[in-house]
Amino acid sequence: FSLGLGQINGAGFFFDVLGSDDYGSTSNDSFGRAVLTLIGRDQPGLVRAVAAAIAGHGGNCLESRMCRLGGEFAGIVRLDIE
């Protein structure tokens, strides 16, 4: 599964998405729940770009934690994907 977030506002990001099959959900949705992790260069507008990419793929952010870690932007987002 990919949200196409390899580049956000010109900054390269490592990202990984764990889908419902990866963590044992029994949801019957077309995709269900997922966890997105991000790390990359911090910059203005980054959270807005991540949220827009998620929404553009039919996703909804259920919960998130984002911070600067070692001088980089780091985030983990729990999603519901339609």
Side-chain angles (χ1 to χ4, degrees):
F1 177 78
S2 173
L3 290 174
L5 293 175
Q7 289 276 324
I8 301 173
N9 291 346
F13 270 82
F14 169 78
F15 63 94
D16 189 25
V17 179
L18 297 176
S20 56
D21 291 341
D22 295 319
Y23 60 91
S25 172
T26 58
S27 173
N28 291 326
D29 296 340
S30 59
F31 188 77
R33 302 261 164 100
V35 175
L36 170 68
T37 57
L38 300 143
I39 189 161
R41 190 181 86 224
D42 195 12
Q43 60 184 345
L46 188 58
V47 173
R48 183 178 333 135
V50 170
I54 291 167
H57 286 82
N60 183 36
C61 296
L62 301 174
E63 186 175 10
S64 67
R65 298 293 182 268
M66 298 178 193
C67 65
R68 285 184 55 91
L69 185 63
E72 299 287 319
F73 170 86
I76 185 166
V77 184
R78 192 167 64 96
L79 310 170
D80 186 47
I81 306 291
E82 294 296 321

